[in-house]
Amino acid sequence: MTGGALAFCLIMVTGLVALIMANGLGFFWPGDIYRFTLKDGREIAGQLVEREQIPGSDTNVPGGLFRIKVKQANRDLYGTDFVWIDESAITKKDKPADAILIHRREWGDFIGVIVEVTDAGKSVAKGPQEGLKFLKSLLPQADATLAAIYAIEKGDIGQINYRQDALRLEIKKLEIKGEGARFKKAGIEAQIAELGKQYAIQSARIDELKKKQTANVKLTAAGGVEKELPLQTVVRVISPNTEGVIGKTLIYMERLWEFLSGDPREANTEGGVFPAIFGTVMLVLIMSVIVTPFGVVAAFYLREYAKQGTLVSIVRIAVNNLAGVPSIVFGVFGVGFFIYFVGGGLDRMFFPERLPAPTFGTGGILWASLTLALLTLPVVIVSTEEGLAQIPKGLREASLALGATKFETTWRVALPAALPSIMTGLILAMARAAGEVAPLMITGVVKLAPALPLDGYWPFVHLERKFMHLGFHIYDVGFQSPNVDAARPMVYTTTLLLLLIVVFLTLGAIMTRNRLRKKFAGSAV
Amino acid sequence: MSSNKPNMTPENASPQYIPGSAGGENEKKPGVRISSGNRADNSTPGSKILGEPIMEVRGLNLSYSGKQALKNINIAFLKNRITALIGPSGCGKSTLLRCLNRMNDLVDGVEITGETLFGGRNIYQPFIHVSELRKTVGMVFQKSNPFPKSIFENVAYGPRIHGVKNQSDLGGLVERSLKAAALWEEVRDRLHDSALGLSGGQQQRLCIARALAVEPEVLLMDEPCSALDPIATAKIEDLMGDLKDKYTIIIVTHNMQQAARVSDFTGFMLMGELVEFGVTTKLFQNPDDKRTIDYITGRFG
């Protein structure tokens, strides 16, 4: 009976993980492109996504019962990425060697056959084979140009904007203070003007680079429509029907790496999730740094210092019940207390020149971490208390009998002995925090964050910034996306990634705990 | 006045006697040597080895949440002697021992009246630093309780707490303490291994070394051998014989043979009372009280 229950649970969990892996890991594999000729003469080219029985049809009749879902891409031409085809309507199905798949920066994928590649209006390569070869040779150059433009935009221009903002705030500050330092203001304004000149220089550099982007590729999509794509909109060209397994594996790896390290594209349905990974890990780490000392100190007080009585019992019950409060309630508290009260107060005190634009008075990674810390505090308190209760009385007495004070005993004997339990609490807290989404949605998570909370600008750690989070990313991509079909594999992949990150963080904590246990091997903890 | 205090000596201590009550004398002169010249029985070895008392308990009453555990205890512990406390379980001998370094303070609901003097000062006075007292009056527990640290760190724990930081000082202190506890030869090669890897007897001697490392004057031992095999017990008993040159030892034991073997003085306790206290040989061979006779002849307990 009990074994059965355990087996059932294990099967459910393994099944869930297997489902996520099956759906998520296949996403990056470049599937073959098929060309379907239909009875009505239409031609559809695309990758096979799934096959299912037509709802309501009779299974006993052979043929004509199934339909397939094809990713035909070319959203800008056809309106939708996916199309259902009844198998009975297909007259011919083949794999044209010329068909290629292009990942674009906008409008999703493109599936078609290359007609020619042009540069500055002149044709440089004609035909599918020649064109593909030429296209692939041009791509690195185009990518380099794009990267250079990006570097200027983010680096130099970003720096200029940042400094201009800072100077404008300086002026505002002077105005608020009311010190009639006219010449000071004039000096700052001169600096701003100087920065404006630099800005013009940098944008000229960008224009220069943009002039280099002259190459276009002309393709025909299934159905005979022609489309010309500027080379800078092309991310990657794949010809799945001619690639071998090794070639496809390389593409798979490349896409996986893009997923892990890149920024999102196309309303998060394409590209990478690096900012979300970063946000999740940073959130959990900040949360841990906050919750551990607070939880441990609270537990030590409850167990070691407070006089055990009704009041302490009530506090203990309240703490335990705190673990059962719905997380959104913590979120609401976070908004009300941390953001409006604490954050708003900080803004009024330290950043009056930026008002009414809030600095800390709006959702941010710090407030989200604090809210999560509050949420996971009971877990840490309870397990620390349990750890303290398990310390043999003899150890404390030994320390006290040597003339140690109560604090010395707590610090040198009880704390080290309770460390494994503290780590257990922290592991549980981290696992809970990494998977929590509801309170984050109102305390600082966003669909797309313009900048990471950690970067090269002073003070490097920007705790007031909004951030991206994998859990929210799943919700956003899966349920808020305009293109649900295209986003679905992304949901699975992101889910898998979130699971992996939770496992990774937890494993790290477990390994630390085991090291501590070994250090105190043989003790009763 | 003080010269006329023969009944301060352990031999004459009796449950009925309350020190200092005669003549309302409250002053204390611990330095006064107490002779046993007025005793008729000079053949008992105890009479020849009498010395000055280092700790004294006068009219001590102790109750746990209203339940009286010690009733009017009067006893003196002589310097550089081993005093054993025997008696059946629950008679209060461990409680009495724990009064001597205020370990009972840790228990909720304890009430103590009477005086416990160390070097002439009542250790329950508010200005006494408990940690200082416990440094001077060390304790070894029934169950060996080494810290889950290395052997070295165990012994160095006390000195570190009391401010010894220099590594070579610590090293010397650890070595001396381990030598004093007759453990050095056995562990010198593995000082930095976990103390929990030692055998039961070694762990107990490590606890003794740890207690010695803070250089106490009095060592309280609460049934230190009750969890050990006879060989380990013999080692610890030998050790106690060596230690008494430098330290005053007060040991609580269940084992009457042990008390007879190692101690100079023995007190027999029953139901929270000190029934009889005197030179060990006398108490075992010729006890005054019938309850003592019953106990040591095995009629109860």
Side-chain angles (χ1 to χ4, degrees), chain A residues 228-309:
Chain A
E228 198 158 344
L229 300 175
L231 197 60
Q232 66 266 24
T233 64
V234 175
V235 178
R236 191 180 290 109
V237 183
I238 303 165
S239 129
N241 292 357
T242 53
E243 291 281 8
V245 176
I246 296 172
K248 283 186 175 180
T249 311
L250 285 177
I251 293 166
Y252 183 88
M253 298 308 241
E254 190 193 325
R255 292 196 62 193
L256 189 64
W257 178 243
E258 185 199 8
F259 176 70
L260 293 177
S261 65
D263 285 336
R265 289 197 311 264
E266 285 285 74
N268 294 352
T269 57
E270 281 172 39
V273 293
F274 178 71
I277 299 176
F278 193 90
T280 309
V281 173
M282 190 162 168
L283 175 80
V284 171
L285 292 183
I286 296 177
M287 185 278 310
S288 309
V289 167
I290 297 167
V291 77
T292 315
F294 271 103
V296 169
V297 167
F300 268 83
Y301 178 74
L302 279 181
R303 176 67 60 180
E304 305 266 306
Y305 287 90
K307 199 167 179 296
Q308 305 295 320

Side-chain angles (χ1 to χ4, degrees), chain A residues 307-308 392-405 408-409 412-413 416-417 519-523, chain B residues 98 101 103 106 131 134-135 137-139 141 145-149 154 157-158 160-162 194 196 210-211 214:
Chain A
K307 199 167 179 296
Q308 305 295 320
K393 202 170 133 225
L395 280 187
R396 289 175 216 266
E397 285 191 337
S399 170
L400 291 169
L402 287 169
T405 59
E408 283 163 339
T409 304
R412 289 172 184 245
V413 175
K519 210 169 146 193
F520 303 110
S523 67
Chain B
R98 294 166 72 95
N101 67 345
M103 286 302 273
L106 307 174
S131 51
R134 290 186 186 139
K135 179 176 179 283
V137 183
M139 190 163 196
F141 296 85
N145 49 6
F147 300 124
K149 302 170 188 249
N154 260 282
Y157 180 88
R160 271 195 217 279
I161 291 251
H162 297 293
S194 171
L196 300 165
R210 185 175 65 186
V214 293

Side-chain angles (χ1 to χ4, degrees), chain B residues 217-292:
Chain B
E217 290 173 40
V218 180
L219 199 55
L220 310 176
M221 298 179 127
D222 190 356
E223 300 183 39
C225 303
S226 65
L228 302 181
D229 65 62
I231 295 170
T233 303
K235 277 193 179 160
I236 296 209
E237 286 177 6
D238 289 348
L239 176 62
M240 284 159 64
D242 298 339
L243 289 176
K244 88 177 184 184
D245 294 341
K246 278 184 77 182
Y247 308 96
T248 307
I249 296 177
I250 305 167
I251 176 173
V252 161
T253 179
H254 262 303
N255 183 333
M256 280 182 281
Q257 284 86 351
Q258 184 174 51
R261 276 194 303 266
V262 300
S263 68
D264 302 313
F265 301 99
T266 302
F268 168 61
M269 291 184 71
L270 187 66
M271 316 267 286
E273 284 177 64
L274 182 63
V275 173
E276 188 165 354
F277 180 48
V279 173
T280 300
T281 38
K282 157 99 173 33
L283 188 123
F284 278 102
Q285 286 163 10
N286 185 20
D288 291 334
D289 199 290
K290 187 174 176 301
R291 291 170 291 179
T292 317

Side-chain angles (χ1 to χ4, degrees), chain B:
Chain B
M1 247 165 106
S2 52
S3 60
N4 190 20
K5 276 168 61 186
N7 43 11
M8 280 300 298
T9 59
E11 297 131 274
N12 291 0
S14 70
Q16 290 79 33
Y17 174 72
I18 303 165
S21 64
E25 179 203 42
N26 281 325
E27 77 180 66
K28 182 76 193 76
K29 289 188 184 166
V32 173
R33 289 190 68 86
I34 297 158
S35 87
S36 60
N38 61 340
R39 275 199 56 86
D41 181 13
N42 271 337
S43 62
T44 51
S47 62
K48 293 189 195 90
I49 50 166
L50 294 179
E52 55 186 293
I54 187 163
M55 291 199 91
E56 254 192 274
V57 172
R58 295 185 190 174
L60 183 81
N61 286 286
L62 180 144
S63 57
Y64 292 118
S65 324
K67 222 182 118 221
Q68 192 150 21
L70 293 177
K71 293 169 198 159
N72 194 20
I73 304 287
N74 295 286
I75 191 167
F77 302 101
L78 296 197
K79 196 168 181 181
N80 291 4
R81 297 288 175 269
I82 300 177
T83 307
L85 295 171
I86 59 168
S89 294
C91 69
K93 54 192 190 303
S94 286
T95 307
L96 173 59
L97 194 74
R98 294 166 72 95
C99 282
L100 300 177
N101 67 345
R102 291 186 59 175
M103 286 302 273
N104 280 328
D105 290 13
L106 307 174
V107 185
D108 282 338
V110 164
E111 250 178 78
I112 300 168
T113 57
E115 287 184 308
T116 307
L117 302 167
F118 174 71
R121 276 156 118 197
N122 188 354
I123 60 171
Y124 283 91
Q125 274 166 302
F127 59 82
I128 296 280
H129 271 285
V130 182
S131 51
E132 282 301 310
L133 169 75
R134 290 186 186 139
K135 179 176 179 283
T136 335
V137 183
M139 190 163 196
V140 176
F141 296 85
Q142 176 175 7
K143 197 167 161 283
S144 62
N145 49 6
F147 300 124
K149 302 170 188 249
S150 72
I151 295 169
F152 183 91
E153 284 303 323
N154 260 282
V155 183
Y157 180 88
R160 271 195 217 279
I161 291 251
H162 297 293
V164 181
K165 290 207 174 71
N166 187 314
Q167 199 63 29
S168 65
D169 287 357
L170 273 178
L173 201 57
V174 168
E175 184 179 338
R176 261 181 286 134
S177 306
L178 284 170
K179 276 180 176 159
L183 192 61
W184 175 250
E185 292 304 321
E186 291 161 61
V187 299
R188 61 187 303 172
D189 304 327
R190 46 182 178 135
L191 282 180
H192 297 285
D193 291 1
S194 171
L196 300 165
L198 297 173
S199 73
Q202 287 173 326
Q203 285 192 7
Q204 193 61 292
R205 273 179 287 152
L206 178 68
C207 291
I208 294 173
R210 185 175 65 186
L212 297 181
V214 293
E215 295 168 338
E217 290 173 40
V218 180
L219 199 55
L220 310 176
M221 298 179 127
D222 190 356
E223 300 183 39
C225 303
S226 65
L228 302 181
D229 65 62
I231 295 170
T233 303
K235 277 193 179 160
I236 296 209
E237 286 177 6
D238 289 348
L239 176 62
M240 284 159 64
D242 298 339
L243 289 176
K244 88 177 184 184
D245 294 341
K246 278 184 77 182
Y247 308 96
T248 307
I249 296 177
I250 305 167
I251 176 173
V252 161
T253 179
H254 262 303
N255 183 333
M256 280 182 281
Q257 284 86 351
Q258 184 174 51
R261 276 194 303 266
V262 300
S263 68
D264 302 313
F265 301 99
T266 302
F268 168 61
M269 291 184 71
L270 187 66
M271 316 267 286
E273 284 177 64
L274 182 63
V275 173
E276 188 165 354
F277 180 48
V279 173
T280 300
T281 38
K282 157 99 173 33
L283 188 123
F284 278 102
Q285 286 163 10
N286 185 20
D288 291 334
D289 199 290
K290 187 174 176 301
R291 291 170 291 179
T292 317
I293 302 173
D294 288 348
Y295 183 69
I296 60 179
T297 52
R299 236 167 274 169
F300 75 90

